[in-house]
Structure formats: structure tokens, C-alpha cells
Amino acid sequence: MKKRSLLQAALALATAGAFALPASAQTLTPIKFQLDWRFEGPSALFLLPAAKGYFKDAGLNVSVDAGNGSGSAVQRVASGSYDIGFADMAALMEFHANNPDAKNGPIAVMVVYNNTPAAVMALKKSGIAKPADLTGKKLGAPVFDAGRRAFPIFAKANGVGAVQWTAMDPPLRETMLMRGDVDAITGFTFTSLLSLEARGAKASDVVVMPYADFGVKLYGNVIIVNPKLVKENPEAIKAFLKAFTRGAKEVIANPAAAIAYVKERDGIINTQLETRRLQLAIDTVVNSPDARAEGFGQLKPQRLSLMASQVSDAYGTKTRVNPETVWNGSFLPTAAELNILPRK
């Protein structure tokens, strides 16, 4: 009897100890998150809140995986392999317009890159100084490059005539420009400009024509969610966005410190280079004049509608993009919590 009493007491203590654990330790909701690209400077926006426990504080167990392009990120969230992802708004629009009857179309719930990072870049020695100079020239980019796919919008806005395209794998884009195989390239500013410098160009040698500065007001990367998560656990989406915003505020305030969390995930990155990449992303697409005017995370319905029309034309989608199917801003944190962009 004595042994049985001791055993019962031990079991009671063990049970009590389990219930004494913090609620967050018992009820963390697992979330699989898909980045648009590999672990580089901008991924600090997601890696910092994960590493510092902000997602866990919000009741979530978030795993962050590297990606290989926005189109792939959209597909993986649509398939249910990932709950939440990070992808270009245009790629999301294309998925919806080409799969109008699909029930699994991801939904954008927060804008992170208020402007597309796409730009046209050329070397000054080519004589290209403005968009009109691109007429008749040879441009290069991978076939899936966001800037290349949206180039018809850029061309129309700036009166650019016909150009000749050369396709290549991403690692060869800047090399071919440096060799003179192409006259100009399209790419993300914080990717291609730094890649050109790595190949011997000086920043002063490069003409950069950001789409956002030349009349193309496309939204860039957004946080997307699987519709199943919207239906079954909307509170998890709200918690994710709140924790992400908390971390993003720190990243924007101190990019150099935030790179440490990228280094934790990929030990071979060049810390100095990735810090510059992150700062470029913040300056050009996260804390841009448009972002400060519209508010971090948010968008303007009129601008979204215009983008939907432009993407429909430029991408040649099967159906017209319906802006109402790609965006749901009801999960966003409060205006006070979203007020994280410092004035310049």
C-alpha cells in the first residue's frame, strides 16, 4: 500500500508539472513558412522574429525554409505543403488568373515590398542613359525574371520600342552584361547591382532604372497564406503578422545586427555584402516613399486594381486578374502596430 501511495503521488506530481508548463509550450501552432529565395539579407525580416522567439510568444512554432523563386513559393503554398509564404504579388495574380476555378489559390494578407524591386540596369559605357535608349537594344534576363515579365508595362510607360531578349540562367545574367553579350538586364536592384559590383563594376558605372521611379507602381513581395488556414485558423494568421511586424521594426532600425540571424541559417554568406543587400531592400522597397504614404503592410485598392489590369495584359493570363481574389487585409495588426517606418 505504501509503495502504491508513493507511485500515485509521483504520478500526481508529474501530471501537475505538465499542466504547470506555460500555455505557449503546450499549444504552439505549427506553421511552415516558405521564403521566395535563398537565405540572403532580406530574409532577416523573417529569420529575426523566428530566432528571437517572437513567433513563439504569439503561440506559433514557425519553421522558415529557403526558396527558389516566387512562382514556386505560390505553388507550394497553394498545394498545402506550406501554410504561409513570401512571394511577388504579380506571381500570385498570375496563379489566380490562370487557375480561375482553383479553390486553393493563396491570398495576400500583408505587403512587405511596397514597390517591385525590378529595374533595368546597363553600363554607362553602353550609352544607355534613359528608358528610350533601350529601343532596339539586346536585353538579358532569365525567362521567369519578374522584371522581364513586367517589362511591357515599363516599356509602355516610357515609350520604349521593340527590344531583343536573350535568356540565361540567373548566375550568368550580370556576367553577360559585363562581357557585353547584352546591352542591359532586368533584375532586382538589391540582387543585380551587388552582383555587378562583385564582377568588377563600380556603382558609379551602372545606370539603374527602377520600375517604381519610371511610372510602374507594381506592388512587390507580399505575405501569402493558404485558404485552408484562412478558414480553419484565422487567429494564427493574425498572430503571425503581429510577430512579423514586431521583428521587422527591429530589422529596419538595425539591419547590421539583423544579419547575424541570416548568418545562423547560412554560415557561408558574406556578412558585409548581405548587410548592404538588406539596407538596399529597406531603402528601395520596404521604406520607400510609397510605403510611407500608404502605411507598412497595407495597399491602396485603386493601385491594386491597376496592377491587376497591367499584369493581365503583360503576362497574357487565361482570364483577367480579379484584385478581390488576391488580397485580404483583415488580418493586419492595428495601425499603431504597423507604424514602424522611420521618416527620412
Side-chain angles (χ1 to χ4, degrees):
M1 290 293 292
K2 190 173 182 181
K3 288 184 178 179
R4 180 176 295 180
S5 297
L6 289 173
L7 179 60
Q8 288 174 335
L11 288 172
L13 284 172
T15 303
F19 283 108
L21 289 172
S24 59
Q26 299 180 52
T27 60
L28 291 182
T29 300
I31 295 290
K32 292 190 65 178
F33 178 80
Q34 174 68 73
L35 283 170
D36 65 323
W37 198 236
R38 52 182 174 256
F39 293 125
E40 292 184 337
S43 60
L45 291 163
F46 298 96
L47 295 177
L48 181 146
K52 296 189 76 170
Y54 295 165
F55 289 126
K56 287 187 177 179
D57 291 346
L60 307 175
N61 181 18
V62 178
S63 60
V64 181
D65 290 342
N68 58 355
S70 284
S72 178
V74 172
Q75 291 284 350
R76 289 172 182 173
V77 173
S79 72
S81 299
Y82 287 83
D83 306 292
I84 305 179
F86 190 48
D88 182 49
M89 176 70 92
L92 177 66
M93 287 181 167
E94 182 182 28
F95 178 91
H96 276 267
N98 285 341
N99 302 277
D101 298 323
K103 304 298 184 182
N104 62 337
I107 302 166
V109 293
M110 173 179 269
V111 176
V112 181
Y113 295 170
N114 186 279
N115 301 102
T116 175
V120 177
M121 281 155 274
L123 299 178
K124 286 185 177 178
K125 65 181 181 180
S126 69
I128 297 173
K130 57 186 184 299
D133 298 333
L134 295 169
T135 301
K137 295 296 193 295
K138 183 184 292 184
L139 271 65
V143 292
F144 56 82
D145 176 70
R148 175 172 176 170
R149 302 205 66 195
F151 185 79
I153 305 171
F154 177 88
K156 183 177 180 180
N158 295 281
V160 180
V163 301
Q164 180 182 347
W165 283 99
T166 296
M168 73 283 288
D169 291 331
L172 295 176
R173 170 172 32 199
E174 292 78 22
T175 299
M176 292 183 69
L177 180 62
M178 293 295 292
R179 288 195 316 220
D181 297 331
V182 293
D183 302 306
I185 59 174
T186 58
F188 282 5
T189 49
F190 51 76
T191 297
S192 290
L193 183 58
L194 296 184
S195 294
L196 286 169
E197 290 184 23
R199 287 159 176 75
K202 296 179 181 178
S204 57
D205 297 332
V206 184
V207 176
V208 182
M209 293 178 272
Y211 281 22
D213 293 347
F214 286 86
V216 181
K217 296 297 185 179
L218 303 180
Y219 287 108
N221 280 36
V222 293
I223 294 176
I224 62 174
V225 299
N226 185 284
K228 182 180 179 182
L229 189 64
V230 173
K231 182 179 180 180
E232 297 181 357
N233 198 347
E235 292 305 313
I237 301 173
K238 293 178 181 179
F240 182 95
L241 297 184
K242 187 172 183 177
F244 166 75
T245 303
R246 179 185 175 190
K249 182 177 182 179
E250 292 188 22
V251 174
I252 294 168
N254 194 347
I259 289 299
Y261 301 101
V262 183
K263 188 78 170 178
E264 286 181 1
R265 293 301 301 269
D266 187 347
I268 66 171
I269 67 163
N270 182 316
T271 300
Q272 183 178 8
L273 178 69
E274 295 310 324
T275 302
R276 285 191 61 207
R277 193 188 310 280
L278 175 57
Q279 188 66 66
L280 265 174
I282 292 170
D283 292 342
T284 57
V285 298
V286 177
N287 191 19
S288 65
D290 288 326
R292 293 194 297 275
E294 297 183 7
F296 180 74
Q298 305 165 72
L299 54 70
K300 296 294 185 184
Q302 300 91 334
R303 185 176 158 193
L304 182 68
S305 294
L306 175 60
M307 178 179 176
S309 178
Q310 292 173 325
V311 168
S312 299
D313 293 335
Y315 284 48
T317 54
K318 292 179 180 178
T319 64
R320 304 294 293 179
V321 177
N322 179 358
E324 295 181 0
T325 65
V326 301
W327 169 254
N328 185 339
S330 67
F331 305 102
L332 287 170
T334 66
E337 291 168 330
L338 290 171
N339 185 24
I340 67 171
L341 299 178
R343 295 289 170 179
K344 294 188 177 181

